[in-house]
Amino acid sequence: MMNTTTTSASATSEEELALVEHHEGYSILTINRADKRNSMSSATQKALRDALDAIKKAGSKAIVLTGAGDQSFCSGVDIKEKRDPTKRAFAHEANTWALVQKAIREHPAIVVGAINGYALGGGLTLVNSCDLAIAVDTATFGMPEITFGQYPALAGPTTMRRILHKHAIWMTVTGQRIDAATALSWGLVNEVVPRERLLPRAVELAKLIATFDAVALDYTKKTYHIVDELGWDAGIDYGSTVMPILALQKDVVR
């Protein structure tokens, strides 16, 4: 029988900025700021990190990450907050948006992005941080920073790690968006589906992943990110060390 619970991670009692639904083996994490196009205020970033911690404690093997509403997955870091000197305490700390990406990459669960609308700037960074991504057929992707005289500090480098150089620099220097079909052909997402199939398809993948061994999933994800930074030979050498480590870890778990 599936055990389902719903919790929230929020900076205030008035606004639940990150909603978490725990299911058997997986969780659904929703950025709950539809009225602000799911932009990332400092409080929302903290709520996401808190939610990821809660999901780790719950032992979920997979996470479906999506945005509230049907327009925006994530429109990036909250520009109005960044420009408001009364709300910039987070700017004096480490780059909190980078810390969110680090929390996703280092999380033992496999993160499946359910891209329900546009993913712009920091929202594209979030897509890049997901291990898998399913997009609604009306989704759009872009880095508009150049149109503001800025550089996409996180979205630029992470997109260059995901797609061909010519495609990445086109997105960076033109500021133009691409549609879901182009994102699929360029390798930014795994699948494109109609809206009614988006969450069911992402959940379907999460349920499949949740049937696999938790330790093997954790080490597979870690190895993927480590090998991605290595050359061919070094990657093979590292890969050959994983099975013995995995066996030892399973012995400890048992």
Side-chain angles (χ1 to χ4, degrees):
M1 177 180 295
M2 178 178 293
N3 178 25
T4 305
T5 60
T6 302
T7 60
S8 65
S10 173
T12 69
S13 58
E14 292 82 12
E15 187 178 20
E16 298 175 347
L17 300 175
L19 302 177
V20 181
E21 297 177 26
H22 294 299
H23 298 264
E24 187 174 344
Y26 73 96
S27 296
I28 299 175
L29 172 54
T30 304
I31 304 166
N32 190 35
R33 212 174 179 226
D35 60 327
K36 302 295 184 181
R37 302 180 300 280
N38 295 323
S39 61
M40 287 290 116
S41 64
S42 54
T44 308
Q45 293 175 49
K46 182 180 184 304
L48 273 182
R49 290 168 62 190
D50 290 346
L52 289 165
D53 285 342
I55 292 171
K56 184 184 296 185
K57 291 177 182 176
S60 293
K61 300 177 187 178
I63 301 170
V64 173
L65 174 61
T66 193
D70 59 5
Q71 292 188 334
S72 173
F73 171 66
C74 175
S75 59
V77 175
D78 191 325
I79 299 297
K80 289 184 178 179
E81 183 181 70
K82 285 181 69 176
R83 293 174 177 169
D84 186 344
T86 68
K87 298 180 180 179
R88 290 173 58 185
F90 73 99
H92 301 295
E93 303 172 0
N95 187 328
T96 53
W97 190 227
L99 293 177
V100 172
Q101 313 313 311
K102 181 179 176 66
I104 293 172
R105 285 172 61 88
E106 295 183 352
H107 203 284
I110 303 300
V111 180
V112 182
I115 318 304
N116 58 301
Y118 50 79
L120 306 177
L124 180 57
T125 306
L126 199 58
V127 174
N128 294 336
S129 292
C130 291
D131 301 300
L132 301 170
I134 310 298
V136 67
D137 52 14
T138 56
T140 56
F141 305 78
M143 290 179 276
E145 284 85 350
I146 192 68
T147 66
F148 309 132
Q150 299 178 3
Y151 172 74
L154 274 67
T158 59
T159 300
M160 289 185 68
R161 299 290 300 180
R162 294 288 175 263
I163 63 178
L164 294 175
H165 176 81
K166 286 290 195 298
H167 292 158
I169 197 167
W170 186 91
M171 295 182 72
T172 307
V173 303
T174 68
Q176 295 185 16
R177 303 182 187 183
I178 60 172
D179 59 19
T182 303
L184 178 63
S185 68
W186 286 6
L188 279 174
V189 300
N190 297 96
E191 297 179 21
V192 173
V193 297
R195 184 166 298 278
E196 65 272 13
R197 281 288 299 149
L198 179 64
L199 196 57
R201 177 55 180 150
V203 168
E204 182 181 2
L205 280 174
K207 287 181 176 178
L208 171 64
I209 292 165
T211 65
F212 302 137
D213 181 83
V215 177
L217 286 170
D218 184 18
Y219 270 83
T220 297
K221 178 171 177 173
K222 287 177 180 175
T223 300
Y224 175 85
H225 289 305
I226 291 171
V227 171
D228 190 42
E229 305 295 330
L230 301 175
W232 179 273
D233 291 336
I236 291 175
D237 290 343
Y238 181 83
S240 67
T241 70
V242 174
M243 285 304 294
I245 295 172
L246 188 57
L248 289 172
Q249 288 293 322
K250 288 188 177 183
D251 286 341
V252 170
V253 171
R254 293 190 188 100

